[in-house]
């Protein structure tokens, strides 16, 4: 098995606003006015909901239209995880604040080990998910934007089994720490004992050269070593993230065995999807040739901004009072905490430390020690809860309230049967339907001349390149872009923009009938 794994838990390209990238660019290119009441978007193999959530968060910036997303994945575990992350994204303010929601989302998105309260959220929501996949009336009440009616009965039964596994919360069945270590040992082989050097090489010789230089060497090494990408809040990350567990059929001496484990990416990282690009350019400023921020800061701001815009339809502005990734001190503290954790496990990184950064961290620690400490958000919430407890006479927690999603007017998200993309052109209801089509790099073979039957008369086709597939050499990445472009042209597509194989994570094409 390669470093990418057999299931795509997160994408290998930054999040996109598909209305801006797909609809507006095409209208400008062709000088047409596409006044459609409903935009239909087909997303194949993206691995997560980053494009969906970014598009929904930015919808107020565009002419008012109904949006209908059709999603095709290759594994039912991904649909279960989509439901979990969508539920978090649409949490109402009365149950969960913006900062808490951001932290929860990032943990579930990119950490194989999470805090206990995060694991409790999965277990608490599992019964609701079971009801949603078995009772469409309940689904309409809880997540009215989600449509599961196209899934087969056996697929919904399988998803019900996944949610029951989450509800049971059997930690012995999924030892996440052991699963991650076994994947590392299998992938690295004899290089396992010198794995930090391997991680350093992958970061400096591959990730940085392909545009991932905002990803700090310390946070990348930490994720490669223990599977924890986002440590936004101080705490203990020691409980398995059950949403990253999946099954795989293994062969041994002619027999087949089903094994539960972690079979996803251990090479690229979840930072690419959420933490390498942002509208807030101040995150990419350098001091003494070193980024003052890191990918975790960028991801935290991006997710917080996305959730703020979903709830308020107003742009999220970065100010000195904004909670979250605002000061250089936070990035330094993240790097320091990661380094301490690695050293606690016998892994030392002093040889790779930047002397200027170390001096900066030490100076800021001394300055911080003299500052008065504000009460933590946990203490504030605790005070609120004690006040509520005094009123009601019983213990109270916001998550005890019944779940209600944020209202998304005119939005539908439809899950199609797994691997059903090749069948779509054969179904009359999907003929000339989709205005925007996005295909991940692992499933571009679906783009055949027959597949253009599902394209609308004017359709934008966005194809994920292999830029961040770090196991591929630059020559192979260029060959991939050339091959995929030829496939798109054979399907009747034309270039929307020229793709630079060394810089662009996206191949932009369009179809005109």
């Amino acid at each position: 098995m390669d470093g990418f794994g057999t299931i795509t838990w997160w994408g290998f390209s930054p999040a996109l606003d598909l209305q801006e990238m797909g609809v507006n660019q095409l209208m400008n290119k062709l000088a047409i006015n596409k006044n459609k009441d409903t935009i239909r978007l087909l997303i194949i193999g993206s691995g997560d909901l980053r494009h969906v959530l970014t598009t929904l968060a930015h919808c107020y910036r565009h002419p008012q239209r109904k949006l209908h997303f059709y999603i095709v994945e290759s594994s039912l575990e991904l649909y279960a995880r989509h439901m979990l992350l969508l539920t978090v994204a649409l949490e109402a303010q009365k149950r969960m604040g913006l900062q808490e929601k951001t932290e929860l989302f990032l943990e579930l998105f990119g950490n194989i080990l999470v805090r206990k309260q995060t694991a409790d959220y999965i277990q608490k929501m599992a019964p609701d998910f079971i009801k949603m996949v078995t009772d469409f009336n309940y689904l309409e009440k809880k997540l009215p934007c989600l449509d599961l009616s196209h899934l087969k009965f056996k697929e919904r039964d399988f998803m019900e089994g996944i949610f029951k596994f989450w509800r049971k919360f059997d930690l012995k069945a999924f030892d996440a720490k052991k699963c991650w270590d076994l994947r590392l040992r299998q992938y690295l082989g004899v290089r396992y004992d010198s794995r930090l050097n391997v991680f350093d090489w992958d970061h400096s010789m591959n990730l940085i050269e392909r545009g991932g230089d905002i990803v700090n060497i310390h946070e990348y090494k930490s994720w490669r070593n223990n599977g924890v990408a986002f440590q936004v809040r101080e705490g203990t990350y020691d409980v398995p993230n059950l949403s990253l567990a999946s099954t795989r059929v293994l062969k041994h001496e002619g027999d087949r065995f089903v094994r539960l484990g972690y079979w996803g990416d251990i090479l690229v990282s979840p930072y690419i999807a959420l933490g390498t690009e942002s509208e807030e350019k101040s995150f990419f400023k350098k001091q003494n040739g070193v980024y003052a921020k890191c990918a975790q800061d960028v991801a935290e701001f991006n997710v917080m901004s996305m959730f703020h815009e979903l709830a308020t339809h107003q742009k999220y502005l970065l100010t000195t009072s904004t909670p979250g990734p605002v000061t250089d001190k936070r990035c330094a503290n993240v790097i320091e905490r990661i380094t301490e954790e690695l050293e606690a496990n016998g892994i030392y990184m002093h040889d790779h430390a930047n002397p200027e950064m170390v001096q900066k961290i030490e100076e800021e620690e001394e300055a911080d020690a003299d500052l008065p400490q504000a009460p933590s958000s946990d203490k504030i919430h605790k005070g609120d809860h004690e006040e509520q407890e005094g009123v009601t006479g019983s213990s109270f927690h916001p998550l005890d309230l019944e779940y209600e999603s944020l209202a998304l007017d005119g939005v539908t998200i439809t899950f199609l049967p797994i691997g059903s993309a090749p069948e779509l052109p054969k179904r009359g209801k999907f003929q000339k339907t989709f205005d925007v089509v996005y295909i991940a790099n692992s499933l571009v073979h679906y783009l055949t001349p027959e597949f253009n039957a599902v394209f609308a008369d004017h359709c934008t086709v966005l194809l994920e390149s292999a830029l961040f597939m770090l196991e591929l050499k630059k020559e192979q990445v260029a060959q991939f872009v050339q091959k995929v472009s030829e496939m798109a042209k054979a399907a009747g597509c034309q270039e929307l923009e020229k793709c630079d194989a060394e810089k662009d994570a996206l191949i932009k094409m369009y179809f005109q009938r």
Side-chain angles (χ1 to χ4, degrees), residues 377-401:
S377 58
D378 290 340
K379 292 182 180 179
I380 294 173
H381 291 322
K382 182 177 180 182
D384 294 341
H385 296 163
E386 288 175 348
E387 182 179 347
Q388 181 74 24
E389 189 174 332
V391 174
T392 62
S394 61
S395 179
F396 171 79
H397 191 278
L399 288 179
D400 293 332
L401 298 173

Side-chain angles (χ1 to χ4, degrees), residues 402-431:
E402 185 178 2
Y403 178 82
E404 293 181 10
S405 69
L406 296 175
L408 295 178
D409 297 332
V411 174
T412 305
I413 301 171
T414 297
F415 291 170
L416 297 177
I418 57 172
S420 62
E423 304 300 319
L424 298 182
K426 304 174 185 178
R427 302 176 63 179
K429 64 184 299 182
F430 293 121
Q431 298 287 319

Side-chain angles (χ1 to χ4, degrees), residues 4 187 201-202 205-207 209-210 267 465-482 501-503:
F4 309 125
Y187 176 66
W201 174 272
D202 289 337
M205 301 304 294
N206 289 318
L207 192 59
E209 291 190 1
R210 301 189 188 193
L267 176 63
S465 78
L467 179 65
F468 289 106
M469 309 306 282
L470 302 186
E471 284 188 342
L472 301 182
K473 298 178 181 178
K474 290 183 178 180
E475 297 78 11
Q476 294 174 308
V477 173
Q479 290 172 5
F480 180 89
V481 170
Q482 181 180 357
E502 296 184 1
K503 297 180 180 179

Side-chain angles (χ1 to χ4, degrees), residues 180-230:
W180 187 271
D181 187 65
L182 288 174
R183 282 293 310 284
L184 284 178
R185 290 177 182 273
Q186 180 272 332
Y187 176 66
L188 295 175
V190 297
R191 300 181 298 164
Y192 177 81
D193 290 336
S194 58
R195 59 191 180 280
L196 272 192
N197 293 331
V198 177
F199 302 160
D200 188 274
W201 174 272
D202 289 337
H203 179 269
S204 59
M205 301 304 294
N206 289 318
L207 192 59
I208 287 181
E209 291 190 1
R210 301 189 188 193
D213 47 344
I214 187 65
V215 181
N216 185 276
I217 180 62
H218 297 272
E219 61 184 355
Y220 179 74
K221 281 186 174 182
S222 175
W223 172 79
R224 287 289 301 271
N225 195 58
N226 59 36
V228 178
F230 301 107

